Amino acid sequence: MKRFLDIIGDLRIAFWLLLAVAVIMWIGSLYASAEYQLFDSLNGVRVQDWFSEKGLGALSSTWWLPALFFAFALLGLNTAACTLRRVMALWPRRTDMPAKRFMVLLSPSIIHLLFIGMLSGHLLTFTALTQEKAPIEEGVVLDLAGTGEFTVKSVKNEFFDKGSLLADRIRQTTVELSFMKNGVERTVPLEFLHSISMNGALLQLDMQKRKMSGAPITQNPADETCNKEHNYHYAELLKETRPQLYIIATRDPGLFILIPGFALVILVMGWYFYQIGFGRESKAQSID
């Protein structure tokens, strides 16, 4: 068992795995930029469903995704083995040193365990995410991602001032949602950059431009009144030119692992480096 941990938990393997992850992600970014529409369809979809429906059919462009998951799995295994080796070596010495010193030495291992937990959270997000999207108008009744029924009571747009360079453009949109809870109707506001939680699902606003109708007509270069700065203009536009408003409901079980994980990593690392610096400072003062 010790021999197995020594091999799997080798720091040199960790270095090459991190390098492999970086290279695979860089290669993946090139494929994603070249095949934007294909990889954009991955947003809000469980990765295994997307890969079986679209990824397998374009394996020449998506091969790096399973390679990336495999590299991260090996990195998680390597981190777990490395952490176990360190704890096994440190634990018998716990009675030979002050408790605070022991916790300082144990802190890197705690951070490694939190890192493994965050990798698991990312995996849960990729494989168990539920996301639904629907256009909204006043009075519409929706039930998305298990939120339960709610009604869009009102949609109010706030515009930039007339003297602004962004005059007549939407500054903020407030959507009032009403739902029944314990037999009482409740109303909550939903705005851009201000999401709300409803029955464990996260609700957010999204906006997309509506497409223009009509075929493009080429301008006649011989026409002296032709605006040479534009090559085309459209014969007809939609009567309603404002963008379409959408509501997105996301149920992400991995989020409840990732956010506390990040917070704990920051706290433990801050405490660890503070103790390291404070210990050196105290030693220097005692020497003086």
Side-chain angles (χ1 to χ4, degrees), residues 189-285:
L190 179 62
E191 298 179 334
F192 283 103
L193 301 182
H194 297 282
S195 58
I196 62 173
S197 178
M198 184 181 293
N199 294 331
L202 196 67
L203 299 183
Q204 297 170 290
L205 289 181
D206 187 25
M207 186 175 285
Q208 292 182 359
K209 293 182 179 180
R210 299 190 182 189
K211 294 181 179 180
M212 294 182 289
S213 64
I217 299 177
T218 306
Q219 296 177 343
N220 184 5
D223 185 359
E224 293 298 328
T225 62
C226 172
N227 186 350
K228 301 297 178 108
E229 294 181 356
H230 301 284
N231 293 327
Y232 297 98
H233 71 278
Y234 284 85
E236 298 179 10
L237 300 177
L238 290 175
K239 293 181 180 179
E240 177 60 61
T241 58
R242 290 181 184 175
Q244 174 63 56
L245 193 63
Y246 290 87
I247 191 167
I248 300 176
T250 305
R251 190 175 294 276
D252 183 2
L255 199 64
F256 299 100
I257 298 176
L258 290 171
I259 293 180
F262 272 116
L264 288 173
V265 165
I266 292 172
L267 288 174
V268 175
M269 289 186 68
W271 181 83
Y272 173 76
F273 285 112
Y274 172 78
Q275 294 300 326
I276 293 295
F278 182 75
R280 289 176 180 173
E281 192 174 306
S282 300
K283 185 180 288 187
Q285 289 177 356

Side-chain angles (χ1 to χ4, degrees), residues 97-163:
M97 64 182 74
K100 186 176 181 181
R101 174 64 177 169
F102 175 73
M103 289 305 300
V104 170
L105 295 176
L106 190 63
S107 295
S109 299
I110 296 175
I111 294 172
H112 289 158
L113 291 175
L114 290 172
F115 172 73
I116 295 171
M118 290 166 63
L119 280 181
S120 302
H122 280 295
L123 180 63
L124 196 59
T125 293
F126 280 118
T127 57
L129 176 77
T130 301
Q131 188 175 89
E132 295 183 22
K133 179 178 179 180
I136 57 174
E137 303 287 349
E138 289 187 3
V140 69
V141 179
L142 298 171
D143 184 355
L144 302 174
T147 57
E149 286 191 354
F150 60 90
T151 304
V152 180
K153 291 192 68 175
S154 65
V155 179
K156 299 177 182 178
N157 292 318
E158 177 187 349
F159 296 88
F160 285 93
D161 297 332
K162 292 293 183 180

Side-chain angles (χ1 to χ4, degrees), residues 2 5-6 9-11 80-90:
K2 186 178 183 301
L5 290 177
D6 289 341
D10 195 326
L11 289 177
C82 181
T83 303
L84 185 57
R85 284 176 57 204
R86 196 170 189 278
V87 172
M88 288 172 60
L90 185 62

Side-chain angles (χ1 to χ4, degrees), residues 17 20-21 24 63-77:
L17 285 174
V21 166
I24 294 172
W63 61 266
W64 60 272
L65 272 173
L68 182 64
F69 275 83
F70 182 69
F72 268 119
L74 291 179
L75 182 61
L77 182 62

